[in-house]
């Protein structure tokens, strides 16, 4: 019998998890059973993905950079990567601003609902605000300073320091290019082999993906707030989701125009990573799968994918920046503020920077939203308004973050002549278990 394709297996797992949780919440003891006996498996699944993120970046980036054999190729690719990332982020923020100004979701929210939301979520909002304040207190060059770790082991010991690991790997790769080939070869061979092992581990972890997402979504459903609040924030959520869908359309078109790859090819290739981004709300946790999909199913050569994707996972968050723009204007509308054109232009700049600064973990976009609000003079307490629906929107924006990285990697690959045929054509074969 033909095995179900991976993305269908994952979708089945997701739907199964939601239905199971909806059945369990009918019983008083149901939620506790899910939290105690199902949720841990979701956590194990996410942890196993995070576990290989740092070794994967190290091995694949060192191999990727050293394969370039030439520093000028590296700077060319670097320039294009950052340039295209910036452009897509600005497009995303602009789409968000346009939609929120047309739909005006904040104007339809009644004062009563507003007060209720502010009251209910004040504590949660305050904790995000204080997290943001810690980041805000640092000087303007802090981000640059943080790029260079003083110790690679301590940098690699924290998944939040991904950029430092990336810096080390690129630096190390440059060193490898510059030494004589006979000395570089054994080191390169080691990282080649290391890389293969990690890719195999990703295959193995993906075998558990349908069960992992079942557990993650079941836990999410039993822990989510009441549906009434969702309704109050309906138009706001619709605005964010609409913008995100449009952004996916933008990627598909860009890929089509610049690389001549059909939408179905792109979506089929990347969909398992999208589904995982949705289930985990973390581009960092999804990174191993994004890399594997892009290299093996979208035809991006390893030296490009291993460079563009880890950087993208940490700095290119188009879904997050779009959401920050919509959320900021929504909060302003809900408080009856009229934002001038200049203030909205300011939001384009701050949302772009804030999304670059957001960590690739669940809820990070909301922390950085505080900075966008502060800059635009919108009350930070407004964060409480959008708290109830943040998790589902986080799931959706993470899908866009990951899709954007994959699309840009294809464009960069095309521009440096490194976009080929996918390694795995019949990709369900790839995940077949030997029974
Ligand atoms: N969860 C998002 C990500 O990991 C970041 C965010 O909160 O917007 O890509």
């Amino acid at each position: 019998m033909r095995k179900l394709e991976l993305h269908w297996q994952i979708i089945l797992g997701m739907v199964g998890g939601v239905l199971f949780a909806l059945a369990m919440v009918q019983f008083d003891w149901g939620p506790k059973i899910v939290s105690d006996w199902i949720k841990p498996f979701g956590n194990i699944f996410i942890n196993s993905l995070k576990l290989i993120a740092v070794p994967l970046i190290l091995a694949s980036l060192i191999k990727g950079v050293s394969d370039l054999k030439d520093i000028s190729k590296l700077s060319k690719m670097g320039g294009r990567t950052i340039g295209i990332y910036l452009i897509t982020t600005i497009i995303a923020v602009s789409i968000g601003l346009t939609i929120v100004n047309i739909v005006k979701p904040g104007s339809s929210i009644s004062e009563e609902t507003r007060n209720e939301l502010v009251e209910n979520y004040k504590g949660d909002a305050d904790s995000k605000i204080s997290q943001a304040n810690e980041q805000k207190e640092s000087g303007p060059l802090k981000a640059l300073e943080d790029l260079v770790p003083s110790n690679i082991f301590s940098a690699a010991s924290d998944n939040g320091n991904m950029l430092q690991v990336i810096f080390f790997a690129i630096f190390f790769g440059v060193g490898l290019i510059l030494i004589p080939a006979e000395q570089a070869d054994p080191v390169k061979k080691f990282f080649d082999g290391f890389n293969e092992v990690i890719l195999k581990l990703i295959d193995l972890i993906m075998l558990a993906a349908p069960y992992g997402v079942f557990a993650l979504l079941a836990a999410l459903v039993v822990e989510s707030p009441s549906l009434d609040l969702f309704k109050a924030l309906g138009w706001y959520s619709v605005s964010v989701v609409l913008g995100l869908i449009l952004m996916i359309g933008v990627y598909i078109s860009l890929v089509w125009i610049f690389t001549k790859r059909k939408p179905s090819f792109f979506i089929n290739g990347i969909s398992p990573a999208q589904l995982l981004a949705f289930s985990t709300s973390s581009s960092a946790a999804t990174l191993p799968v994004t890399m594997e999909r892009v290299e093996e199913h979208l035809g991006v050569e390893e030296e490009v994918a291993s460079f563009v994707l880890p950087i993208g996972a940490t700095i290119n968050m188009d879904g997050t920046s779009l959401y920050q723009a919509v959320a900021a204007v929504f909060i302003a509308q809900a408080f009856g503020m009229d934002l001038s054109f200049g203030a909205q232009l300011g939001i384009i700049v701050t949302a772009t920077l804030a999304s670059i600064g957001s960590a690739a973990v669940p809820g990070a976009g909301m922390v950085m939203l505080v900075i966008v609000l502060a800059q635009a003079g919108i009350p930070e307490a407004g964060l409480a308004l959008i708290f109830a629906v943040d998790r589902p929107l986080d799931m959706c924006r993470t899908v866009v973050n990951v899709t954007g990285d994959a699309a840009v990697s294809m464009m960069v690959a095309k521009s440096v002549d490194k976009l080929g045929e996918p390694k795995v054509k019949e990709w369900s074969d790839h995940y077949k278990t030997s029974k």
Side-chain angles (χ1 to χ4, degrees):
M1 199 183 79
R2 216 172 102 86
K3 206 163 185 282
L4 209 55
E5 286 178 61
L6 181 69
H7 60 258
W8 288 116
Q9 293 181 26
I10 298 181
I11 290 174
L12 272 182
M14 291 164 77
V15 175
V18 171
L19 293 179
F20 177 74
L22 288 177
M24 291 304 268
V25 289
Q26 308 305 320
F27 308 98
D28 288 346
W29 42 267
K32 183 154 167 44
I33 296 280
V34 174
S35 302
D36 287 355
W37 294 96
I38 306 285
K39 192 178 174 186
F41 292 100
N43 291 343
I44 291 174
F45 176 62
I46 295 201
N47 285 350
S48 60
L49 282 169
K50 288 191 188 155
L51 170 71
I52 52 172
V54 168
L56 171 72
I57 293 181
L58 269 179
S60 67
L61 205 51
I62 291 176
K63 177 178 177 336
V65 171
S66 60
D67 278 348
L68 286 175
K69 300 190 182 69
D70 180 351
I71 308 276
S72 69
K73 277 196 201 148
L74 180 67
S75 55
K76 185 164 142 197
M77 198 158 79
R80 287 196 187 158
T81 305
I82 306 288
I84 306 181
Y85 275 154
L86 265 182
I87 295 173
T88 56
T89 307
I90 293 173
I91 296 178
V93 184
S94 312
I95 291 181
L97 279 181
T98 312
I99 292 181
V100 74
N101 279 301
I102 296 175
V103 179
K104 294 203 182 359
S107 331
S108 58
I109 199 159
S110 71
E111 200 174 323
E112 195 189 333
T113 318
R114 189 182 79 197
N115 294 341
E116 189 193 338
L117 286 167
V118 171
E119 198 53 41
N120 279 352
Y121 289 94
K122 195 173 173 322
D124 297 318
D126 284 348
S127 88
K128 294 271 171 192
I129 294 172
S130 66
Q131 279 177 42
N133 284 341
E134 278 167 28
Q135 299 195 17
K136 244 194 306 188
E137 267 157 28
S138 40
L141 289 185
K142 183 82 174 96
L144 191 66
E145 195 183 324
D146 283 347
L147 207 59
V148 186
S150 58
N151 182 308
I152 182 57
F153 294 102
S154 72
S157 70
D158 175 1
N159 278 2
N161 282 336
M162 222 67 115
L163 278 180
Q164 299 191 337
V165 177
I166 293 174
F167 175 84
F168 174 79
I170 295 178
F171 200 30
F172 193 96
V174 168
L176 265 184
I177 295 180
L178 296 176
I179 62 173
E182 64 272 21
Q183 279 159 340
D185 274 351
V187 184
K188 279 183 67 176
K189 284 218 176 79
F190 168 79
F191 281 108
D192 279 0
F194 195 96
N195 201 26
E196 285 304 314
V197 175
I198 302 283
L199 289 177
K200 194 40 116 205
L201 295 186
I202 299 174
D203 285 354
L204 295 178
I205 294 172
M206 285 309 279
L207 292 175
Y211 310 100
V213 296
F214 176 96
L216 286 172
L217 287 195
L220 211 67
V221 170
V222 298
E223 287 166 6
S224 65
S226 82
L227 274 177
D228 290 350
L229 289 176
F230 278 96
K231 278 190 217 131
L233 295 172
W235 282 114
Y236 158 69
S237 312
V238 167
S239 308
V240 175
V241 172
L242 191 68
L244 295 175
I245 293 173
L246 281 178
M247 201 53 210
I248 300 263
V250 169
Y251 296 133
I252 291 177
S253 320
L254 288 174
V255 166
W256 203 359
I257 295 167
F258 289 104
T259 72
K260 309 276 179 294
R261 300 294 191 273
K262 288 207 190 104
S264 57
F265 171 84
F266 177 59
I267 293 296
N268 262 336
I270 197 64
S271 55
Q274 290 176 318
L275 293 171
L276 221 59
F278 184 81
S279 312
T280 61
S281 277
S282 164
S283 340
T286 313
L287 180 65
V289 180
T290 318
M291 286 182 69
E292 200 248 13
R293 302 302 306 179
V294 163
E295 282 171 29
E296 306 212 338
H297 303 269
L298 294 176
V300 175
E301 287 189 20
E302 194 184 0
E303 54 231 70
V304 177
S306 65
F307 180 81
V308 179
L309 293 173
I311 296 183
T314 30
I315 69 164
N316 181 51
M317 300 207 177
D318 300 343
T320 301
S321 65
L322 187 149
Y323 142 84
Q324 285 169 337
V326 177
V329 178
F330 167 76
I331 294 171
Q333 289 169 350
F335 280 104
M337 289 169 67
D338 223 356
L339 288 179
S340 67
F341 185 66
Q344 304 226 11
L345 278 185
I347 291 180
I348 297 193
V349 178
T350 46
T352 302
L353 294 177
S355 70
I356 292 176
S358 302
V361 295
M366 199 180 205
V367 174
M368 295 305 275
L369 173 63
V370 175
I371 293 173
V372 180
L373 294 178
Q375 212 73 33
I378 302 166
E380 291 163 13
L383 221 53
L385 288 183
I386 54 169
F387 219 96
V389 287
D390 196 62
R391 183 59 196 242
L393 294 182
D394 191 3
M395 297 160 80
C396 301
R397 66 190 188 241
T398 309
V399 172
V400 171
N401 291 345
V402 166
T403 313
D405 298 341
V408 172
S409 76
M410 289 181 80
M411 288 189 272
V412 173
K414 176 78 185 172
S415 82
V416 292
D417 219 11
K418 297 262 177 223
L419 187 65
E421 288 301 310
K423 288 189 202 139
V424 181
K425 294 226 176 57
E426 186 42 71
W427 51 274
S428 54
D429 281 354
H430 191 53
Y431 290 100
K432 271 199 181 129
T433 34
S434 40
K435 285 216 177 105

